[in-house]
Amino acid sequence: MALLTIVDETATGSVLARLELEITQETLTVRELITRRVQQEVAAYNARQTGTFRGLVQPTDSERLLNGESYRLRHLKLIDAEEQVYRALQAFQQNGFFLLFNDRQVESLDEVIWLGAGASASFLKLTPLVGG
């Protein structure tokens, strides 16, 4: 079993968050990596339901907080993991964020990545420009 450290970063290199994901296989697709990451975030939120969700993509019926890395749900409720996974996969395909695996940008959800010793994943979140 491998422990993969995932880092969320801004385009300027500022670290927004770190999380660790336990992986029991040597390889998986980018789709599987994103799915497991989002499922872990949703499970952690649903277990505590604080009203503030820190995750890869913004849940429905929430607002982005000033720090830009977390979201406040308008009503305390469970987040639907399947919907969040769909939103995250869609965001990846529409360049809502980039994924660097071992410092190399991956471009396809079906790309297979190898989780050897020292593997790292960085999600670069893009910030919308103010004023359009």
Side-chain angles (χ1 to χ4, degrees):
M1 175 172 56
L3 196 59
L4 176 65
T5 300
I6 295 174
V7 179
D8 286 345
E9 300 180 56
T10 64
T12 60
S14 299
V15 174
L16 300 172
R18 288 183 195 277
L19 64 129
E20 292 184 335
L21 197 60
E22 290 183 15
I23 308 290
T24 57
Q25 60 216 69
E26 283 189 14
T27 62
L28 52 94
T29 64
V30 171
R31 179 186 319 276
E32 291 169 323
L33 173 61
I34 293 171
T35 297
R36 289 181 188 197
R37 181 230 164 111
V38 170
Q39 287 172 336
Q40 181 173 312
E41 291 170 343
V42 170
Y45 171 81
N46 285 344
R48 68 181 192 292
Q49 287 190 47
T50 62
T52 302
F53 175 75
R54 293 182 74 114
L56 184 59
V57 293
Q58 183 172 355
T60 304
D61 197 29
S62 69
E63 60 188 359
R64 183 184 301 264
L65 297 177
L66 289 177
N67 62 14
E69 61 190 82
S70 57
Y71 311 96
R72 180 180 306 124
L73 273 70
R74 292 189 176 98
H75 307 287
L76 288 182
K77 64 176 184 169
L78 294 177
I79 294 176
D80 182 344
E82 189 174 320
E83 180 181 342
Q84 281 300 103
V85 167
Y86 174 79
R87 293 171 67 102
L89 296 174
Q90 188 175 41
F92 177 83
Q93 291 178 310
Q94 296 173 349
N95 297 324
F97 62 88
F98 295 104
L99 173 57
L100 300 178
F101 193 80
N102 292 337
D103 297 322
R104 184 184 63 78
Q105 183 177 343
V106 293
E107 298 178 5
S108 166
L109 289 173
D110 297 321
E111 187 171 334
V112 176
I113 52 179
W114 181 70
L115 300 169
S120 65
S122 297
F123 287 78
L124 276 69
K125 293 185 171 188
L126 303 179
T127 307
L129 297 175
V130 177

